[in-house]
Amino acid sequence: MEQPDERARFEETIMPHLDAAYNLARWLTRNEHDAQDVVQDAFLRAFKYFGGFHGGNSRSWLLSIVRNTAYTWLQKNRKQELATVSDEEMHDIEDTSSNPEVLLLNNSDRQEIRRAVEQLPVEFREVMILRELEGMSYKEIAEMADVPIGTVMSRLARARKQLQQSLGQRLQPGVSQ
């Protein structure tokens, strides 16, 4: 039986991505302890199905499992957070000239930024974290979320607009929106 070899291969291939897994779970659940539970469940699933992993991008493979585990957890524990934002609600978000990335660089109030990101709907939070913090490509995110690349781009654009509006109100209270 090759159990020790399989375990060593798992640890070598998957364990380096533990921080990225926790980061994604933390942002999706918005809670340290819930994220730890999600990551633990995800790693158990990853180990169980590791025999089916035949190379490729191990980080994307693991983050897909973390994502699916987090969504399952949210479905069971916080179903209301999975409500999708309608297009009509998106039209209410103003497009101001301030760029959210510039706001992030120009304002060091990390707590306000964290709160603004945490207020995003889960689908928007997810693409924002995967793209901006984990540096994943649109294609990788699309494959992970099982949605078209255009959907990823749309969600990211909408997430940025919502952040722009929220941060503009929080970090520049004297500016009218």
Side-chain angles (χ1 to χ4, degrees):
M1 193 174 213
E2 295 186 50
Q3 186 72 349
D5 289 341
E6 191 74 3
R7 182 176 170 186
R9 190 169 79 88
F10 178 83
E11 288 177 3
E12 180 182 310
T13 307
I14 302 301
M15 291 306 290
H17 308 301
L18 179 61
D19 287 344
Y22 175 77
N23 190 40
L24 177 59
R26 169 64 184 85
W27 281 103
L28 291 178
T29 63
R30 297 187 291 179
N31 180 287
E32 281 181 46
H33 301 291
D34 296 340
Q36 290 169 355
D37 290 345
V38 165
V39 169
Q40 184 176 12
D41 288 348
F43 267 77
L44 288 171
R45 289 179 188 184
F47 187 72
K48 180 178 179 180
Y49 296 105
F50 189 63
F53 177 71
H54 302 294
N57 189 333
S58 59
R59 184 165 152 252
S60 287
W61 183 79
L62 175 64
L63 291 181
S64 293
I65 295 170
V66 171
R67 175 195 183 272
N68 292 337
T69 304
Y71 273 84
T72 299
W73 186 91
L74 286 168
Q75 182 70 28
K76 288 179 185 173
N77 297 287
R78 292 193 218 138
K79 197 174 206 162
Q80 74 280 3
E81 287 189 32
L82 294 177
T84 305
V85 177
S86 71
D87 283 337
E88 287 120 30
E89 291 173 297
M90 293 318 317
H91 292 288
D92 292 338
I93 298 172
E94 294 181 22
D95 186 13
T96 62
S97 60
S98 297
N99 184 318
E101 288 84 2
V102 172
L103 286 172
L104 293 177
L105 292 173
N106 291 337
N107 295 284
S108 61
D109 193 347
R110 293 182 189 266
Q111 282 303 105
E112 288 298 322
I113 295 166
R114 177 176 292 274
R115 280 188 211 112
V117 172
E118 286 181 347
Q119 295 303 312
L120 292 172
V122 69
E123 302 97 350
F124 295 178
R125 228 175 23 242
E126 173 186 40
V127 294
M128 191 68 144
I129 298 310
L130 292 173
R131 179 74 180 150
E132 304 300 339
L133 297 181
E134 296 301 330
M136 295 182 75
S137 70
Y138 294 134
K139 182 180 178 188
E140 290 172 321
I141 297 168
E143 288 171 359
M144 178 186 303
D146 196 26
V147 296
I149 289 177
T151 300
V152 171
M153 294 169 70
S154 174
R155 287 178 181 175
L156 189 57
R158 291 173 174 186
R160 287 176 176 157
K161 283 183 182 180
Q162 278 193 3
L163 272 181
Q164 183 178 31
Q165 180 184 23
S166 178
L167 290 173
Q169 291 170 352
R170 292 173 191 227
L171 299 176
Q172 298 176 349
V175 176
S176 63
Q177 291 286 319

